[in-house]
Amino acid sequence: MKQLVLVFIGGGFGSIARYALSKFFNNDTSGIPYGTLIANVLGSLLIGFILGFVAKTETLNTNQTLLLATGFCGGFTTFSTFAYENHMFLKSGDFMNFFLYTIGSFIIGFAAVFLGMFLVKFI
């Protein structure tokens, strides 16, 4: 039960952080929902760093890892919002932003996970 509460708390804080980024960076003039993109890239970097740190140092216990990686990063990143925003691009016929946002999210997201894992080597 304690582990569920830790995931719940981390997820709540992650969701609040994602909401704040979306309110600040998403706007109708740019076309691309940068807030979601930033949240997904930062979340990918953070989870790569956290899990790389755990693998290297074993200084975080299971509960701390659940709070940070599963909870916070899980609440902070969002595939459902990403999917919805892409649906809206397709629905409006904005194929260029659909392509840029989708490919950019995958490539930068994967690169961020690898970067996070790589950065742990310097700790």
Side-chain angles (χ1 to χ4, degrees):
M1 182 59 117
K2 177 182 176 182
Q3 293 174 330
L4 291 175
V5 172
L6 290 170
V7 172
F8 175 76
I9 291 169
F13 281 109
S15 295
I16 290 168
R18 182 186 70 237
Y19 176 76
L21 277 175
S22 293
K23 290 306 269 181
F24 188 75
F25 287 105
N26 288 0
N27 60 55
D28 293 334
T29 58
S30 68
I32 294 177
Y34 288 107
T36 306
L37 178 63
I38 291 167
N40 287 334
V41 170
L42 283 177
S44 296
L45 177 66
L46 188 58
I47 202 167
F49 187 83
I50 291 167
L51 296 179
F53 186 75
V54 168
K56 178 182 178 185
T57 65
E58 298 180 12
T59 56
L60 294 177
N61 64 37
T62 301
N63 288 337
Q64 293 166 325
T65 304
L66 282 171
L67 175 74
L68 296 172
T70 306
F72 184 82
C73 290
F76 187 60
T77 61
T78 173
F79 188 77
S80 58
T81 301
F82 169 76
Y84 172 75
E85 289 163 346
N86 275 308
H87 165 77
M88 295 306 290
F89 283 138
L90 291 174
K91 185 176 177 184
S92 69
D94 191 352
F95 299 109
M96 180 57 79
N97 276 334
F98 167 78
F99 177 77
L100 291 172
Y101 183 51
T102 301
I103 299 302
S105 293
F106 283 118
I107 291 172
I108 297 169
F110 283 121
V113 168
F114 289 114
L115 178 62
M117 301 285 287
F118 176 76
L119 290 174
V120 169
K121 294 178 182 181
F122 299 103
I123 293 179

